[in-house]
Each structure stands twice: as structure tokens, then as C-alpha cells.
Amino acid sequence: MTNMVIAQSGGPSMVINQSLVGAVLAARKSTRIGKIFGARHGIAGILNDDYIDLRKPTGAMLDAIAATPSSALGSVRRKPTLDDCRAIFEAFKRKNVGYFFYIGGNDSADAARIVAERAAAEGYPLVCYHIPKTIDNDLRNCDHTPGFGSAARFVAMALKGDDLDNRALGGVKIDIIMGRDAGFLTAASALARENKGDGPHLIYLPERAFSLDGFAKDVEAVMKKEGRCVVAVSEGIRDANGTPIATLFANGEKDSHGNLQLSGTGALGDFLATHLKKATKITRVRADTFGYLQRSFPGVASVVDQKEARAAGAAAVKAALAGKITQGTIAIIRKPGKNYVVAFEPQPVQNAAKIARSMPDNFIAKNGHDVTPVFLNYVRPIVGELPHSAIFAVPKKS
Amino acid sequence: MTNMVIAQSGGPSMVINQSLVGAVLAARKSTRIGKIFGARHGIAGILNDDYIDLRKPTGAMLDAIAATPSSALGSVRRKPTLDDCRAIFEAFKRKNVGYFFYIGGNDSADAARIVAERAAAEGYPLVCYHIPKTIDNDLRNCDHTPGFGSAARFVAMALKGDDLDNRALGGVKIDIIMGRDAGFLTAASALARENKGDGPHLIYLPERAFSLDGFAKDVEAVMKKEGRCVVAVSEGIRDANGTPIATLFANGEKDSHGNLQLSGTGALGDFLATHLKKATKITRVRADTFGYLQRSFPGVASVVDQKEARAAGAAAVKAALAGKITQGTIAIIRKPGKNYVVAFEPQPVQNAAKIARSMPDNFIAKNGHDVTPVFLNYVRPIVGELPHSAIFAVPKKS
């Protein structure tokens, strides 16, 4: 019997605790796993000997944790150095740890890859699995990632409400949505459309070059047609040279993976609103930045996302115990066919690490500022049904 | 039989359509009311002859409208001039309108007061009622206002999720919450606290002078104690002279009631975050501005708020038909006693108009940056139960 360490890393999500609980419950079923240590704040907890005993909580308590947003073990953004790895293996040795599970996005997958490869190089016997999580939906080996469906659900609901608000008072409303490199979350705003004339009327993604001139023209065209305009903008939009628009205002803060701070500031929305007021004759322009609510708001998680996140955690433990792949990750694969069915496939951890994916071309409308029906069919089952909205039919002026 | 006009004004809410539907259904029951016109975009609809026939929709359709956030008739921010009033009476005369209902906050109550007083002065026979609505909770004749409970519920849920997010990654999180002059909505963030150490750890209200120095010191003290800090800040915070902090960055846009634009921009949050980074050694500081989601997010409305909003609409029509007060508003009065019981009391419209109320002193903690148990007891029944969150007990370091 060897012991196991599990930890969470990167940005929290509404369902990352489902993956934690899925893995813990699967581990509890095995006779080959001894102690189950939850390292607090990712690899920092291993380095600081800061653990929670995950054999202790009752099933009811674990279910309550699973239903709670954010990372119950705490999180970290830290790329392990060679020294970190050696310290980790010493800590693992002291605690007789043979299984390590790391829940997170592509940077966390890369951290798991570094630890796994280093363990092999240093001769430390470790079965190491990354468990996928990212609201950005940008792991290149997954049809979609746990966390995305719930964040997308928040975004779609927020846009739905905000579009109704804009119907009431008019003008232009700009909503800034998370997604550093991939536009999936911003694209999900299109699910808000239900009634004729519903926004978002324009959707700007990092996958297409953004120009301030084009933006003003697009908005003016919608204003002419609809008398109002709701715009969904990815925080990661960039110009024709690939330079993020946000670099014009960001405070330059970067994490250890070299990522610029985009969230936790309203600067991009304010910049776009100010530009519109200057470049057009539109007087009422407002901007909101959805911020961290997208990944943490309680009570709106997608049911499918919750189930899949839990299943991904369980699948990682099962695959680790099966032992076919010892440096692994779990890919979510959608089966072809009419019904929505997914499989959880163990793969080498390298498949998820570091390089993120973008929205494929067939998800993006030809005009560059909308999504396609192909994307809507892709995203609907992941997000689930949304609250319906009713509007009065407006009589035509005689 | 005379006809009736009903309209919505000011900022939308999650339950303003409940009041509309409550009034329409009550009017449909009366044999003394003929046609029911819904004026689109408040008094602008009356001036533009832009109406929806509210006898037409089925009960099911009205229920769907009631459950939909924002103002289904459209809204407006417009203070009626003398010329407006005369044009309104001419329009009313043409359409044989004897009843006028205006759903909105204190500015809308003032608009209703102007129309009612002018009608009396010009000899136009009009029964005119204001129906209360404001997420700010600042009508001075109401225990609380329809719309507040649901917005407060959104704020409490948002803070709950955001506090869990801050637990995971640490640092300081600043959340900017609506409330131009009154801190009720920001104060409701305190409902997010459930487990030991839960935020918000600091709550800044417009009712207490805000200083940047004091703010930095307060945050440093929380960081020392909790290792992290979540701050709820009202958009309306002001310095010791009463000058809004937001005037330092606001774009100066004002509505026809003379109110400065505070929402629809992230400038205040960004300013406070930048100040903290400069004034302290704290490196991770993030700010989100909840913006319009507070008044429009679907699916989180408080059940009590929904019921009361509908009842307020019905009460206005009944009072108008009773005829005791012809220039009226509906006050929500909480009965003394252990159980939560409210009454809907017809009052002269002047009681709700123009002058807003602030948080009473016994709702605000002595330290000036928190609320009291008296406030929590006041607000809980209006907001209803919140989703629960579970956290792991952290073992003490030996």
C-alpha cells in the first residue's frame, strides 16, 4: 500500500471540487491506496507539509464540498523548478507517496508533466495524473473541459439578463468575458439568444483580429437595425499583429507561467466604452466586466458539467491504479452520433500540457463577430437548459 | 369606465415585471377600468403614443413576463417638464385615461408626483399612483422596496462565491456594489458569511466617510489576521466632505435627475486596487464591479421579493379604485413581532418622492466598516435562504 497526494492548481471553477471528490471516493474504494493527503494550495502544500486528511470527511461532507464552488484545498499558480521537484520527491518519500493527482488547466498539466518526467529522471517511483479543469475550455486533447460548462452557463445567463436590461434603457452595453487565448466562454454568450432581436448582437473573440475602427462600425450598424446593441468581448481580444488590446492598460503583473493579468480589472471595458463615445454619436455606452463571478458564482453550475467533473476525477484514479499509463491525464472525448455521450480516456500527460487550443474555424461566423450553428450544437448539451425569458410583442407603428 | 395607463421607469430590477403583472391582473378584475395601456419606456411612451395592449396577453404569458428580469415595457430616465405634463394630459384625454400607474424609485415617484399635482392644477381628472421599485432600498416610506431583496440575494451569492475564490488564491479582492446614496445593497453582502473566517471582511458604505489611508490600514489589519481580504465597497462611497470618491474618475455623464453615472464602469474598483498596491506591500489585489448583473441576473430572484412586488402592484390598483387617496404610492410596512409580516399601505405620493433614505445608524457597526446583527435580522427574511458552502477544517500547525 502506498499513499496518495491530490491537489488543485490554477484558477478555481464551480466544479473543480467535484473532480477532487470523484478522485477521493475512487481512491477510498481501492485497497492499494493508503493515506489520502490533500495538499493545500497545490505544490506549495507539498513543499510546506500542509495537508488535509481526506480519509476523514464523511460522504455527506464530501458531497457538500463537491457542490461548493472554488478550490476547497486552496490553489496556487506555480511552475515547479528542478529544486521544487527534488523537494517534492523528498516530501513524498517521507510520506510514502506513490500516487500524485493534480487538478488544473494546461499550466497545471505542464506542472504535472514536469513533476512526472523529473520523477522518472531521478528514479522516484511515482504514478502522476493530471485531472482536467479550466473554464477556458482550451485543453487541446479534450472535446471540452470540466468547469467550462458551468462558467458558460453563468455567462449565458448573465448575457440574457443584461440583454433584457439593455432592451429597457437602450444604448450600447459591452460585457467583458474571461478567456485569455480561447474564445469559447465569450462565444457561449450566444446561448442567451431566445427571442427575436435578442443580444449579444456582436461577439468578439481572441481568434479574430480586433480593430477599434471595425468595432465602432459594427456597433453603429447594429444600432441602426436594433436601436440598441449588446456586445460580448473576450478579455483576450488582440489586434492584427496578435498584440492583446489589454496590453494598452494592463498593469503588467505576470504570473510564474508568464501570463499577463487580464481579470480583476475593468480597464478593457472602460477603454472600449470611451472609444465608442468618441468615435460615434452614441451617448449611452456602458461596460461591465464579469470577472471572477464567472468561475465562482454559487447555484448556477451545469448539471452535466458537475457529473463530468466528478467522473474525470474518478477516471484518473482508476487509470492510475490500472497502471497502463503512469504519467497521465484524462481526456474527455465526445462520441459521434445524435445523442450526447462522452468517454473519459487516459492519455499521456503531455497531451494536455502547456499548449492551449483555440476555437476551431467552423465555430466562428464568417463575419468574424459571431458564432456558427455548429458551435451552438456543440455547446448546448454541456451548458444545459437556461431560464426562459418572455417579452411583449411590440405592435408595428401604423 | 375609464382607461388606464401603466409604465415603468428608472433602473430595471429582477421583479419590476411582477409589479406590472400584479397591477394588470388587479385591473382586469375591475369593471370600472376599460382599456389597459402599457406605455413603452415610461412617460416617453405616452408622449409618443407607443403602447402595448395589456388586456391581450394570456395569464400564462403574464406569468412568464413577471418571472423575466428587467422592465418588459421598457424604461426611461426623464423628469417631466410642464410641457411634458400638458402633452401627457392631451394624450390621456384622447385615450380617455383616468388611471395612471408609474413603477419606479424615488425619481419615478417624483415624476408621478409632478404629473399628479400638475393634473390637479390643470383640472385634468386623474387618479395617479406610484408603485415602489428600487434595488437601492432607499424609499423613505418603505421598510424595504420591491427589487431590493432580489438584488441583495445576487450580491450575497456573488460575495459567497467570490470569497471562496479568494480563499483559494489569497490576496485582496475588492467588489464594487451598486448604491448611489444608500448602502443597503452593499451591506447585504454580509449575508455571504457562513463559515469561520468568511468574507466580506470589510464593508464600506456611503453613510460613513471613506478615507484612502483608513482603507489601506483596515485591509492590512485583515491581511494580518486572515491572510487574505475580501472587501465590499459601495459605488457611492464619499470622503469626509461628502464628495463621492467616484467623481475622481467618473466621465461626468449625468441623467435628467442630475445623477452622476456610477455604474457601467470599473474605474472605482481599479482606482482602489491601484491605491492598495501603492500604499501597502500586498501584491495580489483584484477588483470586480458587479454592475448591471445585480439587477438583471435571471434565476436568483428572492421568492419573498417576487411575491411582494406583485402584491404592491395589485395594492396600487385597489387603492386607486378605492379612491381615498388619488395621488398615491404604496408603502411596504413591516409589522412588529417575531414573524415576518408586511402590509401594503396606500400613502400620498409625496411620501416616496425625491428624497431618498440612508442606512439607519443601528444598521452600521461602530467601526464604520461592517453591519450590525440588527441589520442582518432585518435583511434575512427579504433575501431568503442562500446556497450553503462547505469548507475543509484546516488542521492547526504543530
Side-chain angles (χ1 to χ4, degrees):
Chain A
M1 273 217 320
T2 52
N3 299 329
M4 137 178 180
V5 164
I6 186 163
Q8 296 169 315
S9 168
S13 86
M14 296 185 207
V15 299
I16 187 171
N17 291 336
Q18 293 281 1
S19 295
L20 172 68
V21 168
V24 168
L25 291 176
R28 284 186 182 187
K29 279 187 195 149
S30 163
T31 52
R32 283 155 55 206
I33 293 175
K35 292 184 177 169
I36 305 172
F37 298 110
R40 294 185 68 228
H41 300 287
I43 56 170
I46 303 167
L47 298 169
N48 301 330
D49 206 33
D50 187 4
Y51 297 105
I52 284 167
D53 175 358
L54 291 175
R55 284 226 172 250
K56 234 171 152 180
T58 62
M61 177 62 179
L62 287 180
D63 275 344
I65 292 278
T68 299
S70 188
S71 311
L73 294 174
S75 195
V76 74
R77 292 188 190 278
R78 179 166 175 169
K79 189 175 180 171
T81 62
L82 181 57
D83 283 351
D84 286 341
C85 287
R86 286 178 177 155
I88 287 169
F89 305 143
E90 272 171 35
F92 279 178
K93 205 173 181 179
R94 279 198 306 274
K95 287 196 140 18
N96 185 29
V97 170
Y99 296 99
F100 175 47
F101 298 93
Y102 212 38
I103 315 172
N106 58 312
D107 283 334
S108 308
D110 200 45
R113 177 195 63 81
I114 291 169
V115 170
E117 289 179 358
R118 207 62 238 162
E122 311 252 328
Y124 184 84
L126 186 70
V127 177
C128 176
Y129 264 79
H130 163 253
I131 300 170
K133 175 274 344 171
T134 168
I135 66 167
D136 292 340
N137 201 35
D138 60 356
L139 294 185
R140 65 204 140 89
N141 64 332
C142 288
D143 175 76
H144 59 280
T145 56
F148 168 65
S150 298
R153 194 174 162 75
F154 179 90
V155 166
M157 285 171 72
L159 248 297
K160 204 175 228 292
D162 204 41
D163 184 62
L164 289 161
D165 196 279
N166 180 260
R167 270 188 190 275
L169 281 167
V172 177
K173 182 66 195 302
I174 300 165
D175 288 322
I176 307 292
I177 297 164
M178 278 185 171
R180 181 180 301 282
D181 299 304
F184 294 101
L185 202 51
T186 305
S189 66
L191 291 173
R193 297 174 189 150
E194 180 178 357
N195 297 299
K196 198 166 169 267
D198 273 359
H201 306 99
L202 299 167
I203 299 176
Y204 296 103
L205 309 164
E207 286 83 356
R208 292 290 178 269
F210 182 90
S211 91
L212 287 169
D213 283 352
F215 172 55
K217 277 177 197 155
D218 294 344
V219 169
E220 280 181 321
V222 174
M223 285 297 285
K224 205 173 163 186
K225 191 181 164 215
E226 302 286 346
R228 66 188 192 91
C229 183
V230 173
V231 192
V233 179
S234 168
E235 63 179 8
I237 49 164
R238 47 198 73 186
D239 66 17
N241 299 320
T243 309
I245 305 295
T247 51
L248 300 172
F249 348 92
N251 59 9
E253 194 180 318
K254 286 187 181 182
D255 69 15
S256 73
H257 296 278
N259 303 316
L260 189 73
Q261 185 203 333
L262 293 179
S263 296
T265 162
L268 177 59
D270 288 351
F271 171 78
L272 294 178
T274 304
H275 172 75
L276 269 192
K277 283 188 201 172
K278 275 186 203 155
T280 72
K281 285 176 183 167
I282 305 162
T283 50
R284 188 172 191 269
V285 183
R286 301 288 184 269
D288 276 331
T289 303
F290 289 171
Y292 289 179
L293 302 187
Q294 290 161 90
R295 65 190 196 193
S296 66
F297 198 82
V300 306
S302 143
V303 174
V304 165
D305 192 28
Q306 288 174 307
K307 280 186 192 163
E308 290 181 353
R310 194 180 280 221
V317 170
K318 280 177 211 157
L321 289 167
K324 216 170 138 191
I325 295 172
T326 55
Q327 304 182 357
T329 183
I330 298 298
I332 298 187
I333 312 289
R334 190 187 306 213
K335 299 280 176 85
K338 230 181 157 182
N339 294 327
Y340 176 79
V341 183
V342 295
F344 300 87
E345 186 178 289
Q347 291 187 355
V349 66
Q350 290 77 5
N351 290 14
K354 214 166 177 180
I355 304 155
R357 71 161 174 173
S358 301
M359 291 259 288
D361 285 343
N362 66 339
F363 282 6
I364 306 173
K366 283 227 172 95
N367 63 20
H369 49 69
D370 205 341
V371 299
T372 59
V374 177
F375 171 74
L376 291 172
N377 289 336
Y378 159 83
V379 79
R380 261 201 195 97
I382 306 168
V383 170
E385 206 177 352
L386 298 168
H388 291 283
S389 52
I391 57 170
F392 287 124
V394 175
K396 280 202 180 127
K397 286 265 175 182
S398 54
Chain B
M1 271 215 324
T2 52
N3 299 328
M4 136 179 181
V5 164
I6 187 164
Q8 297 170 314
S9 168
S13 85
M14 295 183 208
V15 300
I16 187 170
N17 292 336
Q18 293 281 0
S19 295
L20 172 68
V21 168
V24 168
L25 291 177
R28 284 187 182 186
K29 279 186 195 150
S30 162
T31 52
R32 284 156 53 206
I33 292 175
K35 291 183 176 169
I36 306 172
F37 298 110
R40 293 184 70 227
H41 301 287
I43 56 169
I46 304 168
L47 298 170
N48 301 330
D49 206 33
D50 187 5
Y51 298 104
I52 284 168
D53 175 0
L54 291 175
R55 285 226 172 250
K56 233 171 153 182
T58 62
M61 177 62 180
L62 287 180
D63 276 342
I65 292 277
T68 298
S70 188
S71 311
L73 294 175
S75 195
V76 75
R77 292 187 190 280
R78 179 166 175 170
K79 189 174 180 171
T81 62
L82 181 56
D83 283 350
D84 286 342
C85 287
R86 287 179 178 156
I88 287 169
F89 305 142
E90 271 171 38
F92 280 178
K93 206 172 180 179
R94 277 198 306 274
K95 285 196 143 18
N96 185 30
V97 171
Y99 297 98
F100 175 48
F101 299 92
Y102 213 38
I103 316 172
N106 58 313
D107 283 335
S108 308
D110 200 45
R113 178 195 63 79
I114 291 169
V115 170
E117 289 179 358
R118 207 61 239 162
E122 311 252 328
Y124 184 84
L126 186 70
V127 177
C128 176
Y129 264 79
H130 163 252
I131 299 170
K133 175 273 344 172
T134 168
I135 66 166
D136 291 342
N137 200 36
D138 61 355
L139 294 185
R140 64 204 142 89
N141 65 332
C142 287
D143 175 77
H144 58 279
T145 55
F148 168 65
S150 298
R153 193 174 163 75
F154 179 90
V155 166
M157 285 171 73
L159 249 296
K160 204 175 227 292
D162 205 40
D163 184 62
L164 289 161
D165 196 279
N166 180 261
R167 271 189 190 273
L169 280 168
V172 178
K173 181 66 196 299
I174 300 165
D175 288 323
I176 307 292
I177 297 163
M178 278 184 170
R180 179 180 301 282
D181 299 304
F184 294 101
L185 202 53
T186 306
S189 66
L191 291 173
R193 296 174 189 150
E194 180 177 358
N195 298 299
K196 198 166 169 268
D198 272 359
H201 307 98
L202 299 167
I203 299 175
Y204 295 102
L205 309 164
E207 286 84 355
R208 293 291 178 266
F210 182 90
S211 91
L212 287 169
D213 284 353
F215 171 56
K217 277 177 197 152
D218 294 344
V219 169
E220 280 181 321
V222 173
M223 285 297 285
K224 207 173 162 185
K225 192 181 164 217
E226 302 286 346
R228 66 188 191 90
C229 183
V230 173
V231 192
V233 179
S234 168
E235 63 180 7
I237 49 164
R238 47 198 73 184
D239 66 17
N241 300 321
T243 308
I245 305 295
T247 51
L248 300 172
F249 349 91
N251 60 9
E253 193 181 317
K254 287 186 180 180
D255 69 16
S256 75
H257 295 278
N259 303 314
L260 189 74
Q261 185 204 333
L262 293 178
S263 297
T265 162
L268 178 59
D270 287 352
F271 171 77
L272 295 177
T274 304
H275 172 76
L276 270 192
K277 283 189 200 171
K278 276 186 201 155
T280 71
K281 285 175 183 167
I282 306 161
T283 49
R284 189 172 191 268
V285 184
R286 301 288 185 269
D288 276 332
T289 303
F290 288 172
Y292 290 177
L293 302 188
Q294 291 162 89
R295 66 189 197 196
S296 66
F297 197 83
V300 305
S302 143
V303 174
V304 165
D305 192 28
Q306 287 173 307
K307 281 185 192 163
E308 290 180 354
R310 193 180 281 221
V317 170
K318 280 177 212 157
L321 289 167
K324 215 170 138 188
I325 295 172
T326 54
Q327 304 182 358
T329 183
I330 298 299
I332 297 187
I333 312 288
R334 190 187 308 214
K335 299 281 175 87
K338 231 181 157 182
N339 294 328
Y340 177 79
V341 184
V342 295
F344 300 87
E345 188 179 287
Q347 291 186 355
V349 66
Q350 289 77 5
N351 290 15
K354 212 166 177 181
I355 305 155
R357 71 162 173 170
S358 301
M359 291 260 286
D361 286 343
N362 66 340
F363 281 7
I364 305 173
K366 284 229 170 90
N367 63 20
H369 50 67
D370 205 341
V371 299
T372 60
V374 177
F375 171 74
L376 291 173
N377 289 337
Y378 159 84
V379 79
R380 260 200 197 98
I382 307 167
V383 170
E385 204 176 356
L386 298 167
H388 291 284
S389 53
I391 57 169
F392 287 124
V394 175
K396 281 204 179 126
K397 285 265 174 180
S398 54

